[in-house]
């Protein structure tokens, strides 16, 4: 946990002391990375903000972009991994890295059966975002849940009601 105060930056309550040699090496590395970091990736008409539990314009935009990029029918994104907003205006790689500051792979591409898709959606609905909500692109999803009641989390009162593809193929319908 990092916190900036009037008298410095603190990490988990301990004041960060700048090491001049390390700072110089970081500055040198940044100079080499600057062309990539500042590369223009696109433009945001408005500020895109994350929300760990509810749908957000940032999660919607990213899942749609990832689906298009991958040529996939559907994509999922764990909103717990979105760490910062994207401000309105030009978007650079560095801006995107602030949103998802991870060096691991962002994509896993491959076939997924309907049962696995439904299991992911059901867990996201029933846990009320306790593990980060799972946002998706390429599906129409209906569900009901009571996230205000801690005892209702992962309870039978939270449930998936209907899932269909954008083409209208019904994958799940609790009413039938």
């Amino acid at each position: 946990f990092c916190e900036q105060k009037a008298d410095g930056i603190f990490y988990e309550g301990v004041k960060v002391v700048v090491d001049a040699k390390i700072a110089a090496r970081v500055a040198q590395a940044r100079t080499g990375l600057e062309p990539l970091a500042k590369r223009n990736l696109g433009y945001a008409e408005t500020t895109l903000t994350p929300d760990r539990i509810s749908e957000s314009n940032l999660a919607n935009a990213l899942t749609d972009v990832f689906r298009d990029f991958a040529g996939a029918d559907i994509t999922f994104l764990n909103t717990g991994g979105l760490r910062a907003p994207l401000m309105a205006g030009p978007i650079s790689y560095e801006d995107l890295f602030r949103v998802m500051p991870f060096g691991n792979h962002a994509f896993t591409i491959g076939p997924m059966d309907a049962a696995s898709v439904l299991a992911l959606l059901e867990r996201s609905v029933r846990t009320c975002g306790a593990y980060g909500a799972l946002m998706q692109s390429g599906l129409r999803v209906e569900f009901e849940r009571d996230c205000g009641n801690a005892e209702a989390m992962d309870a039978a009162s939270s449930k998936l009601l209907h899932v269909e593809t954008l083409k209208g193929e019904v994958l799940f319908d609790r009413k039938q």
Side-chain angles (χ1 to χ4, degrees):
F1 172 66
C2 193
E3 184 178 21
Q4 185 161 0
K5 298 180 181 180
D7 57 338
I9 297 174
F10 292 78
Y11 181 76
E12 295 186 355
V14 178
K15 187 172 182 176
V16 175
V17 179
V18 176
D19 181 300
K21 288 180 184 178
I22 293 174
R25 290 187 77 182
V26 168
Q28 181 181 15
R30 263 194 87 63
T31 300
L33 289 172
E34 187 132 355
L36 174 63
K38 300 298 182 190
R39 185 173 146 216
N40 184 22
L41 299 177
Y43 188 87
E45 295 290 333
T46 187
T47 296
L48 303 171
T49 56
D51 187 309
R52 182 172 168 77
I53 296 173
S54 300
E55 191 168 354
S56 73
N57 60 355
L58 179 60
N60 283 339
L62 289 173
T63 54
D64 289 347
V65 165
F66 291 163
R67 183 168 60 95
D68 184 53
F69 178 79
D73 295 323
I74 61 172
T75 56
F76 291 107
L77 174 71
N78 180 347
T79 60
L82 301 178
R83 303 301 171 95
L86 273 174
M87 305 311 288
I91 299 169
S92 69
Y93 179 81
E94 186 172 33
D95 297 326
L96 190 58
F97 191 77
R98 278 189 201 96
V99 173
M100 297 182 300
F102 308 104
N104 58 359
H105 301 283
F107 285 95
T108 299
I109 300 174
M112 182 180 279
D113 59 48
S116 297
V117 169
L118 295 174
L120 287 171
L121 292 169
E122 184 80 32
R123 177 181 168 130
S124 183
V125 168
R126 292 174 60 101
T127 60
C128 293
Y131 304 102
L134 192 62
M135 292 295 127
Q136 55 76 33
S137 176
L139 298 171
R140 290 183 184 93
V141 179
E142 294 177 40
F143 58 90
E144 62 184 32
R145 66 181 177 192
D146 177 10
C147 294
N149 178 357
E151 292 176 13
M153 288 176 39
D154 207 21
S157 63
S158 298
K159 58 188 161 215
L160 197 56
L161 300 175
H162 184 86
V163 180
E164 68 181 64
T165 67
L166 296 181
K167 294 176 184 175
E169 178 187 359
V170 175
L171 300 179
F172 177 79
D173 192 344
R174 189 172 296 277
K175 301 171 216 165
Q176 293 180 352

